[in-house]
Amino acid sequence: AGDAYKAAGMDSLLLQAEAQGSLLAGTQTTTGAGGAAGAGSERVRLGQPIILVPQAPSSLINIYNARDLLEKGVFKTRDEKRAEQPELFSKKEERVTLAHEEDGHSYHYKIVDNVATMKKEDWGRVVAVWVMGPEWQFKKWDLSLFGGKIVNFFSRVCAFYLAFHRDPVPDNIKKWNVQILTVDKVKRHLDMRVTNQFWDALKDTRRLASQAKARAAANPRPAA
């Protein structure tokens, strides 16, 4: 799972800096002499990174079509997925695994749409979220790791809004730190552009966070 964080731009120094009660780390173990990480060094164990998608039927992206778009570069509407794979809707999965190929390696992420199934520590594993606009989407979110504020959450997690090309965008989306991605209603050959924009933005956002955390770890502020 740690490799998936690295693919999203999370370098090893950031992972070490955030290991204690972090927004990313799961459990942590110490590797003794002769271990793969070297004598006395620490390894951070992470759960699979999480991508949150909306539950609402009106959302263009959901747990049924997110893997098609983010893994295969093909957008399918909810109705198209229902006609294609009705079994997905009769026995809904609450978590779907997504594979992403990058630099010759395969990384895995969890797609989640039901936050009620998430534990507090799972929120520290969220690397991306797709939003709709209305604030009720966040009503049951546990933002305690982020000071209880959605703006703090968006400053630490890459947020996206998916819309059809030329459709109006909700005012809230324009106010938040959210990247707007658009798909065409007909031209499916353009879908891969959205897929690439998502992964590029995720990697760039996490790399900036990585650099900031690395600098903070390398140059701690003196005690007052």
Side-chain angles (χ1 to χ4, degrees):
D3 288 341
Y5 286 95
K6 291 178 183 178
M10 309 305 293
D11 62 21
S12 59
L13 186 52
L14 170 60
L15 296 179
Q16 293 174 17
E18 293 205 331
Q20 300 295 334
S22 74
L23 297 180
L24 294 173
T27 58
Q28 178 177 296
T29 59
T30 300
T31 304
S41 65
E42 292 182 335
R43 254 188 189 173
V44 178
R45 285 185 180 176
L46 305 170
Q48 277 189 336
I50 293 172
I51 299 172
L52 288 179
V53 296
Q55 275 190 310
S58 57
S59 173
L60 285 189
I61 189 166
N62 49 66
I63 202 164
Y64 305 107
N65 67 4
R67 182 160 57 187
D68 287 318
L69 180 61
L70 302 181
E71 187 177 278
K72 303 174 184 178
V74 178
F75 173 75
K76 297 180 180 181
T77 66
R78 190 184 187 94
D79 289 341
E80 287 172 336
K81 288 298 295 183
R82 188 187 296 276
E84 180 183 277
Q85 295 179 278
E87 68 277 8
L88 293 180
F89 294 81
S90 60
K91 189 176 181 181
K92 177 178 170 291
E93 294 183 72
E94 293 186 339
R95 297 188 179 208
V96 173
T97 300
L98 162 70
H100 173 57
E101 298 288 334
E102 189 166 313
D103 299 327
H105 300 281
S106 180
Y107 306 102
H108 294 84
Y109 298 78
K110 286 286 187 183
I111 302 173
V112 178
D113 74 341
N114 184 4
V115 298
T117 66
M118 293 174 59
K119 299 177 181 179
K120 180 176 180 178
E121 56 268 26
D122 290 337
W123 286 93
R125 294 162 48 203
V126 177
V127 295
V129 57
W130 292 85
V131 300
M132 294 179 57
E135 294 188 17
W136 52 254
Q137 180 184 355
F138 318 120
K139 186 176 180 180
K140 297 182 179 180
W141 288 22
D142 183 356
L143 301 177
S144 57
L145 290 176
F146 307 90
K149 297 180 179 180
I150 193 65
V151 291
N152 293 344
F153 181 74
F154 286 158
S155 70
R156 299 298 300 275
V157 173
C158 211
F160 301 90
Y161 174 76
L162 186 66
F164 281 127
H165 183 55
R166 294 184 178 176
D167 274 6
V169 175
D171 290 337
N172 277 344
I173 297 299
K174 299 174 183 177
K175 295 186 295 183
W176 296 330
N177 183 24
V178 173
Q179 299 189 53
I180 302 170
L181 303 182
T182 61
V183 290
D184 192 272
K185 292 183 178 181
V186 178
K187 302 174 182 177
R188 296 280 65 83
H189 65 281
L190 298 177
D191 293 344
M192 183 59 75
R193 179 185 59 185
V194 174
T195 306
N196 292 335
Q197 288 173 333
F198 171 83
W199 291 112
D200 288 347
L202 179 59
K203 187 172 183 178
D204 288 345
T205 298
R206 303 318 294 177
R207 182 181 292 113
L208 290 174
S210 172
Q211 293 170 350
K213 287 294 182 181
R215 287 195 296 268
N219 301 286
R221 293 183 179 182

